[in-house]
Amino acid sequence: MVWSTADVPDQRGRTALVTGASGGLGLETARVLARRGARVILACRDVERGIAAAARVGGMAEVVRLDLGSLASVRQAAERVRGRVDRLDLLVNNAGVMFPAYRHTRDGFEPHFGVNHLGHFALTGLLLPLLRDVPGARVVTVSSLAHRLAARAPRAGDAHADGGHRSVAAYSRSKLANLMFARELHRRLADSGAAAVSVAAHPGLSRTGLWHAGAPVWLRPVSAGALRRLAQDPAEAALPALRAATDPLVPGGGHLGPAGLSECRGGAVPARSSRASRDELARIRLWELSQDLTGVRYARRGAERFAAGTAR
Ligand SMILES: NC(=O)c1ccc[n+]([C@@H]2O[C@H](COP(=O)([O-])OP(=O)(O)OC[C@H]3O[C@@H](n4cnc5c(N)ncnc54)[C@H](OP(=O)(O)O)[C@@H]3O)[C@@H](O)[C@H]2O)c1
């Protein structure tokens, strides 16, 4: 049976935060969750776009400013969310950049690694106390088919790399980092006896704002052709993240993607994960690197209650 938005269970009484909800797949995800009754917080870099998106989402949608390329902004956003709600049921780490025009984030990181991975690593750690002990709570992190193009996880040397903003390898590594993070988070949550689980999802291919940025010249005809033939509507591409977020039958540690055309489009089913994403040692190394770079510390596995503190 094909899973669709009609299968999203009643979300009344639940609160969800969706990053990058000003457009594309995040807006679609937020819209469906709100339609099913969730209170949805749209975490957006541009507040005006966020307010316009909230009007389209309807229901109990509200906006919080979040620039994942600035750790100061991530901390402020987490603080504001903690001031507004005393629990979160869903955190959807959806926002992402591909080939942005800027060379570094505000903190000096290569933008794919900084926004797609480090920003979400920090945000999740800072919001985790709101989720950890909530029955049915989930963290969903949006990865990409492109994670399979990355042979290895990001290393310390990649964090500040110059020129990565135009690099397919840098985007792919950041999406591999998303998947590794989702898995490692799940392992740590499970080890510490937390109620919350972590799941990864990828949307296949969808014609969204992501593709408007400046791809390397050699890639443009390839991506234009692939989008023409294979891309699906954002409404369909959001299904894997929506299912990961709301289907109780999807286990923690899982990874969902589209069912058809080599996972490019159609449905929401268990997805393939690259060998690199299953390398447990590499996942731990990435976790430690991410803690060092962001200053957001998650407690040691099993040693104390799973919590995030701030080292700086
Ligand atoms: N579309 C695809 O074919 C495809 C394929 C594989 C994976 N994905 C993944 O799907 C996710 C959603 O992408 P999309 O296709 O919906 O792209 P999109 O339409 O470009 O949306 C990306 C969202 O991320 C936000 N964002 C960008 N930089 C940010 C920052 N520094 N801080 C906070 N938010 C920021 C954008 O906000 P602004 O409006 O302010 O720019 C926008 O709301 C991404 O993680 C992407 O990697 C997409």
Side-chain angles (χ1 to χ4, degrees), residues 11 16 18 29-38 40 90 92 242 246:
Q11 298 293 307
V18 182
T29 304
R31 217 172 51 77
V32 173
L33 292 172
R35 220 172 45 211
R36 301 296 290 144
V40 185
L90 283 177
V92 185
L242 280 165
T246 63

Side-chain angles (χ1 to χ4, degrees), residues 20-26 45-46 49 66-69 94-97 115 142-144 171 175 203-206 208-211:
S22 60
L25 308 179
R45 176 170 57 168
D46 180 330
R49 286 198 70 197
L66 168 72
D67 179 355
L68 290 160
N94 160 82
V97 289
V115 172
V142 178
S143 178
S144 166
Y171 175 71
K175 299 318 278 184
L205 268 186
S206 184
T208 63
L210 196 72
W211 297 93

